[in-house]
């Protein structure tokens, strides 16, 4: 289930982590931006920098040291010792999606089967056939576009919407280059 430029590597989590059980909604994000709420849809169209600033805002609300170092509203670094809110690392996201509360890891969040027998998440289904190149022709999740956060049952991890809907930002960087050892 991995791409040619993806490597499996051992990861050791140095400390426990928490992760939001649902995608951040427009309403939640707009409290940070001081705009009126726009409903239960997950926030889209924000930069990584905006997502990191939102984490710092949450940290400030709860009295934690901000994780991200900021200069003139631009993230310029981070404080690894901070217990404040931050974006999950790719490894943490992957663990929550494919390992948490499962006997063994799975290829997909829902398991190893390519065919879905019930609506498990908002993914490119037959309603997307004119909009995307690849879609599941025998699947219909009930949403032509973005679904409200938490529209489907929680996944084995206890989290919602890990399989589809919108993309999530992570703390670290994705690279197409394979690292040289």
């Amino acid at each position: 289930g991995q791409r040619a430029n993806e490597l499996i590597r051992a990861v050791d989590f140095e400390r426990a982590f928490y992760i939001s059980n649902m995608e951040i909604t427009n309403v939640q994000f707009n409290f940070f931006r001081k705009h009126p709420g726009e409903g239960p849809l997950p926030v889209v169209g924000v930069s990584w920098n905006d997502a990191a600033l939102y984490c710092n805002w949450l940290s400030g609300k709860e009295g934690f040291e901000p994780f991200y170092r900021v200069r003139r509203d631009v993230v310029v670094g981070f404080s690894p010792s901070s217990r404040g809110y931050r974006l999950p690392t790719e490894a943490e996201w992957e663990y929550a999606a494919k390992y948490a509360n499962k006997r063994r890891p799975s290829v997909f969040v829902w398991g190893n089967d390519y065919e879905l027998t019930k609506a498990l998440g908002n993914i490119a289904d037959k309603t997307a056939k004119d909009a995307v190149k690849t879609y599941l022709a025998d699947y219909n999740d009930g949403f032509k576009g973005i679904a409200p956060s938490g529209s489907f049952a929680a996944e084995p991890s206890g989290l919602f919407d890990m399989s589809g809907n919108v993309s999530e930002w992570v703390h670290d960087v994705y690279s197409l280059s394979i690292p040289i050892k």
Side-chain angles (χ1 to χ4, degrees):
Q2 69 191 55
R3 294 180 178 148
N5 68 329
E6 293 178 328
L7 303 171
I8 294 176
R9 61 185 178 97
V11 175
D12 182 23
F13 299 119
E14 294 177 10
R15 64 184 189 201
F17 66 92
Y18 295 93
I19 192 167
S20 178
N21 69 334
M22 288 191 189
E23 296 164 322
I24 302 303
T25 66
N26 286 309
V27 170
Q28 293 169 305
F29 194 79
N30 287 334
F31 279 120
F32 159 63
R33 285 289 184 216
K34 297 180 176 73
H35 295 268
E38 298 176 18
L41 291 178
V43 67
V44 295
V46 298
S47 67
W48 181 92
N49 194 81
D50 285 340
L53 292 176
Y54 177 75
C55 291
N56 275 5
W57 176 77
L58 285 174
S59 297
K61 283 181 55 109
E62 296 197 21
F64 293 119
E65 171 195 355
F67 181 78
Y68 296 101
R69 292 189 190 122
V70 178
R71 214 177 284 136
R72 293 189 184 118
D73 283 337
V74 176
V75 174
V76 295
F78 62 93
S79 175
S81 62
S82 168
R83 300 287 183 182
Y85 287 85
R86 64 171 172 78
L87 298 168
T89 65
E90 189 276 337
E92 291 166 342
W93 191 98
E94 194 82 15
Y95 174 83
K98 295 185 176 184
Y99 290 82
N101 292 333
K102 295 181 180 180
R103 284 189 184 149
R104 61 181 71 92
S106 59
V107 175
F108 306 107
V109 173
W110 59 82
N112 295 321
D113 295 331
Y114 282 89
E115 292 184 25
L116 301 173
T117 56
K118 62 180 183 172
L120 297 172
N122 188 13
I123 56 179
D125 62 13
K126 60 186 175 185
T127 64
K129 76 176 190 176
D130 295 326
V132 297
K133 196 162 124 180
T134 306
Y135 62 94
L136 298 176
D138 296 330
Y139 180 73
N140 186 350
D141 57 38
F143 295 93
K144 187 166 175 103
I146 298 172
S149 293
S151 292
F152 300 90
E155 292 156 3
S157 62
L159 306 177
F160 296 84
D161 305 317
M162 295 292 282
S163 53
N165 211 20
V166 299
S167 298
E168 291 89 9
W169 284 114
V170 294
H171 172 68
D172 39 7
V173 176
Y174 175 76
S175 173
L176 293 174
S177 302
I178 297 174
I180 299 172
K181 292 184 181 183

